[in-house]
Amino acid sequence: MTKILKTVLASTISFALCSEVSATTTVTELPYKIDNQKEIKVFFRKGLDINADRARGAELKQETLLLKKGSFRRDGAKPLPCDIVFEKDVPVTLRDGTVIYVDIFRPNDNERHPSIMAWSPYGKEIGGQHLDDVPFRSGVPLDATSGLEKFEAPDPAFWVKYGYVIINPDSRGAFNSEGNLIYWGSQMARDGYDTIEWAATQKWSNGKVGMSGNSWLTVSQWFIAGEEPPHLAAIAPWEGFVDHFRETANRGGIPNPVFPEAIFETFASRNLIEDQPRMIVTHTLLDEYWQDKIAKVENIKIPAYVVASYTNPVHTHGTFRGFNLIQSQNKWLRVHNTNEWFDYYQPQNMEDLKRFFDHYLKGENNGWENTPKVRLSILDPGHEDIVNRVENEFPLARTSYQRLYLSTDSRLVTSNPKDNRKVSYYINSDKPSAEFTYTFDKDTEITGYMKLHLNVEAMGSDDMELHVSVQKLSADGDPIPDRITGNTITADGYLRVSQRAVDEKLSSDYEPILRHDHEDLLQPGEIVPVDIAIWPMGMKYHKGEKLSLKVEAYNPPSKDDVPPFGSAKISIPQEHYTFDKEKPVNMKTIGGHNDEVGAPDDIVYAPATRNKGKHVLHIGGNYESYLVIPVIN
């Protein structure tokens, strides 16, 4: 226990050194209720003001407008295909008395309709994050949608045309909604439950509510559906994690606040915002706070249309895990080969999702139940990807798990080398890594979960932080860029070796899941076995092509890897929300400031890595070190 306390204290001190707060700090610890209503202390701080340029917020103004067919939200966007009734800033009172504001888009009639809710804190109109901020709009043309949609959410113009109501809340604390802005967890799940039950009683509702959207809006679905609102009839999670600690914040036990900090800086609130970046670097074990950030996906029994990919660095693992753990009798999985935003707004995929919701929210007998349960993409850089291959399950039942052993000649081989050997690298060298390759002697498909088993030693440190990656190389040994994005594709794993303890109850033969409830620091000369989970991948290798395994010292990612949210300047009408191109209208331009930060002195930076000295990999003989690959027969 003394050893554990020393480790946690050292982590906290490291945080304090790398992220000192000034005398003008806005950081405070506040009571926070977790699932069992127990109160714990959680850091909060100030984010963007709701009137900040970067926030691209909207005035609080309760009104009902009729958006006319053929009108435009912005130049270049798709014209509205029908009249839409727009109810702006409708107040919803949650069970604790907090009032949040939602926007409603509905058909211009007096009928009862199903509704689809898109839950996030990004802004229910333009907001601090937008596709225009992403290079090339991630491949989504401006005229693919109407511009009425909130970020990562369904386009009201498409759905209202087909008789749906779109509900866009500003979640607790976001923009003008009351309270402090929070990240997922049981409080957000209860808020979503309350909003769904409110929606089901409205005069325009047929009593059935669905949920849809990417990323944050998918994570929200896992949490809210896990609370089992009676009127939530179907969900469509389109890439989103289920376990915030294990899958993003402290993956492999390594605190990584870089991406969460970049996202935090886009949030706007009248009040405070849960300082999750600070929780990441101060709460480095899976404690009560992080347990509350695991969605109760095992409670989900309603129909679900789940969409995943192999290439999302935040959501890949959680999407597959969510699909496998939900208890729905009616669930479908589709794995695409592009990116979440591009895939979501593709016309054929919107139509596919419409068939799903038509069946479960409208009761249409449209044959959706005959849709294949699993449709996979198999990536094949340098050749043609396989898309929508029909399967029965994931991972595939016909998988053969095979071992490739590490060898001192930088190869992966099919049997363990006889002699005890070592491969090492220095942390401060130009190339702090070791790479091993395997050449396929026939066409081979590797689809599913990979696992790396190593025997490691740290010289000059009491811990190691590792990043491992698997990628496809050409027959000449060169990385092969993806045809669609131009990027190379890797499947990755991470590990802070002191948190190597495996949770035997949650793990499987092909996937180790770590406990993260304590740390075992390394002693001088100690050699320890570790299992590193590598996220799912579907990849075709042709005869002569190579599989590359790289083991390297972990380095924190760059904030520059996150899109410059808030940078795009977006022009919209000053009045009436949409406009007729034949009539003059005054426009206003919002955004254009991606460097604006609510509390600059309180920014959280990545703590210093624990890597020092030299990493030694023990292989062969008594030290079997191998990569487990899922070969499809």
Side-chain angles (χ1 to χ4, degrees):
M1 179 61 71
T2 302
K3 192 178 190 181
I4 296 171
L5 290 175
K6 285 181 178 179
T7 302
V8 175
L9 179 60
S11 177
T12 305
I13 292 171
S14 174
F15 155 71
L17 291 174
C18 73
S19 184
E20 293 181 2
V21 293
S22 72
T24 59
T25 181
T26 66
V27 178
T28 184
E29 278 192 296
L30 297 175
Y32 182 97
K33 287 186 178 180
I34 55 177
D35 188 42
N36 58 6
Q37 294 297 298
K38 178 182 177 180
E39 283 193 350
I40 61 174
K41 288 292 186 73
V42 172
F43 286 115
F44 284 78
R45 64 175 148 123
K46 189 66 179 169
L48 289 174
D49 184 271
I50 63 169
N51 296 313
D53 288 337
R54 185 180 184 183
R56 293 186 293 221
E59 175 188 7
L60 178 64
K61 187 178 182 182
Q62 295 178 25
E63 59 181 347
T64 299
L65 301 172
L66 181 62
L67 310 181
K68 298 295 291 183
K69 177 180 178 179
S71 65
F72 293 81
R73 173 61 168 154
R74 51 186 301 213
D75 280 324
K78 180 184 294 184
L80 303 193
C82 62
D83 287 352
I84 297 175
V85 176
F86 173 43
E87 296 183 60
K88 185 180 185 306
D89 289 321
V90 178
V92 176
T93 302
L94 306 176
R95 69 184 70 179
D96 65 354
T98 298
V99 175
I100 67 170
Y101 293 95
V102 305
D103 285 352
I104 307 293
F105 298 89
R106 58 182 177 84
N108 184 26
D109 59 30
N110 294 316
E111 304 297 318
R112 294 182 178 272
H113 300 279
S115 51
I116 302 172
M117 186 171 76
W119 188 277
S120 74
Y122 294 147
K124 53 187 174 57
E125 294 189 27
I126 303 297
Q129 297 191 33
H130 197 274
L131 264 181
D132 280 23
D133 299 322
V134 181
F136 309 108
R137 284 179 51 91
S138 205
V140 181
L142 183 57
D143 64 1
T145 62
S146 68
L148 298 182
E149 71 279 359
K150 69 190 297 189
F151 183 54
E152 302 181 322
D155 180 7
F158 175 85
W159 291 97
V160 172
K161 176 184 176 182
Y162 294 108
Y164 286 86
V165 177
I166 294 296
I167 305 169
N168 286 346
D170 270 344
S171 60
R172 177 185 294 259
F175 290 87
N176 289 297
S177 290
E178 294 177 357
N180 292 326
L181 195 156
I182 57 175
Y183 283 70
W184 303 295
S186 55
Q187 178 64 69
M188 188 219 69
R190 292 189 293 270
D191 291 351
Y193 178 114
D194 293 349
T195 306
I196 287 169
E197 295 308 297
W198 167 86
T201 66
Q202 300 307 298
K203 63 182 181 180
W204 39 256
S205 174
N206 74 347
K208 291 188 176 182
V209 181
M211 295 187 73
S212 181
N214 296 138
S215 191
W216 187 296
L217 291 80
T218 283
V219 182
S220 300
Q221 291 179 65
W222 297 131
F223 277 89
I224 294 169
E227 200 69 13
E228 301 181 88
H231 289 92
L232 181 60
I235 58 173
W238 222 277
E239 300 207 51
F241 60 75
V242 299
D243 183 332
H244 197 3
F245 185 95
R246 289 188 175 99
E247 293 170 346
T248 60
N250 295 64
R251 186 175 165 191
I254 304 173
N256 179 12
V258 177
F259 179 71
E261 175 65 32
I263 299 302
F264 179 100
E265 291 170 15
T266 70
F267 291 150
S269 178
R270 289 188 179 276
N271 302 302
L272 296 176
I273 302 172
E274 184 180 336
D275 191 353
Q276 196 166 91
R278 203 169 308 275
M279 297 299 290
I280 289 170
V281 296
T282 58
H283 289 238
T284 58
L285 296 176
L286 189 56
D287 59 10
E288 289 178 304
Y289 171 79
W290 290 113
Q291 290 287 350
D292 195 59
K293 305 299 184 184
I294 301 175
K296 301 174 187 174
V297 289
E298 66 279 359
N299 290 350
I300 299 175
K301 303 176 182 67
I302 59 174
Y305 176 10
V306 181
V307 178
S309 76
Y310 307 114
T311 54
N312 192 306
V314 179
H315 299 306
T316 288
H317 182 272
T319 315
F320 284 108
R321 186 162 178 78
F323 171 76
N324 282 315
L325 291 183
I326 61 176
Q327 299 300 300
S328 308
Q329 292 299 309
N330 300 303
K331 63 180 181 178
W332 285 264
L333 173 69
R334 182 172 62 82
V335 182
H336 65 79
N337 68 329
T338 57
N339 70 73
E340 59 189 306
W341 301 316
F342 179 84
D343 184 80
Y344 188 71
Y345 293 114
Q346 285 292 292
Q348 67 270 27
N349 297 333
M350 294 170 69
E351 291 291 342
D352 204 44
L353 180 58
K354 177 181 169 298
R355 289 182 59 243
F356 170 76
F357 279 140
D358 283 350
H359 186 68
Y360 288 109
L361 301 185
K362 290 185 174 182
E364 291 186 5
N365 185 17
N366 59 9
W368 170 263
E369 66 276 15
N370 298 319
T371 302
K373 291 296 185 181
V374 175
R375 289 172 284 173
L376 291 186
S377 289
I378 307 301
L379 308 183
D380 194 358
H383 307 272
E384 288 292 324
D385 294 349
I386 299 170
V387 178
N388 286 337
R389 189 178 76 193
V390 173
E391 298 288 351
N392 296 317
E393 71 283 308
F394 189 91
L396 304 182
R398 64 182 187 277
T399 304
S400 173
Y401 291 97
Q402 299 181 14
R403 292 183 180 185
L404 298 177
Y405 294 86
L406 279 64
S407 173
T408 53
D409 58 2
S410 297
R411 290 189 303 141
L412 294 167
V413 294
T414 55
S415 59
N416 187 41
K418 292 182 179 181
D419 299 328
N420 295 350
R421 298 292 178 89
K422 299 177 184 179
V423 174
S424 62
Y425 55 82
Y426 286 95
I427 302 305
N428 60 359
S429 66
D430 293 337
K431 190 179 178 182
S433 63
E435 190 167 358
F436 307 85
T437 60
Y438 178 80
T439 302
F440 289 92
D441 58 7
K442 62 181 179 179
D443 290 0
T444 305
E445 179 186 326
I446 294 177
T447 296
Y449 295 80
M450 288 178 275
K451 177 178 75 172
L452 180 61
H453 180 81
L454 292 176
N455 296 275
V456 298
E457 176 187 1
M459 299 181 67
S461 179
D462 59 6
D463 210 346
M464 304 169 71
E465 292 178 348
L466 300 174
H467 171 217
V468 304
S469 58
V470 172
Q471 84 172 322
K472 174 179 174 177
L473 304 178
S474 70
D476 294 329
D478 299 321
I480 307 173
D482 174 56
R483 178 176 57 84
I484 295 174
T485 67
N487 299 322
T488 54
I489 297 171
T490 62
D492 299 278
Y494 296 84
L495 180 66
R496 175 178 275 185
V497 170
S498 61
Q499 291 192 34
R500 61 191 176 274
V502 172
D503 188 321
E504 300 294 346
K505 292 182 179 179
L506 296 180
S507 299
S508 63
D509 290 341
Y510 54 81
E511 184 187 23
I513 296 178
L514 305 179
R515 287 165 53 183
H516 296 301
D517 57 0
H518 70 284
E519 292 195 337
D520 291 316
L521 296 176
L522 299 174
Q523 301 299 318
E526 184 180 13
I527 303 168
V528 297
V530 297
D531 286 316
I532 305 175
I534 299 173
W535 279 9
M537 176 54 69
M539 184 70 73
K540 177 73 176 290
Y541 290 83
H542 296 261
K543 180 179 179 179
E545 292 179 337
K546 303 175 187 298
L547 179 151
S548 165
L549 167 69
K550 180 184 280 189
V551 180
E552 61 186 330
Y554 169 82
N555 269 317
S558 168
K559 188 175 178 180
D560 294 337
D561 295 336
V562 182
F565 288 121
S567 60
K569 294 182 179 181
I570 300 173
S571 294
I572 54 176
Q574 285 187 353
E575 303 286 343
H576 307 302
Y577 210 75
T578 60
F579 64 94
D580 184 339
K581 282 192 175 181
E582 302 302 318
K583 298 177 182 179
V585 61
N586 292 324
M587 304 290 284
K588 62 180 179 181
T589 300
I590 56 178
H593 296 278
N594 73 304
D595 55 353
E596 200 171 5
V597 179
D601 291 342
D602 296 333
I603 291 175
V604 177
Y605 298 96
T609 177
R610 292 183 176 181
N611 289 324
K612 298 176 184 176
K614 184 166 72 169
H615 287 176
V616 182
L617 312 181
H618 292 262
I619 62 179
N622 298 328
Y623 297 106
E624 292 189 342
S625 291
Y626 53 83
L627 174 69
V628 178
I629 59 172
V631 177
I632 303 305
N633 299 310

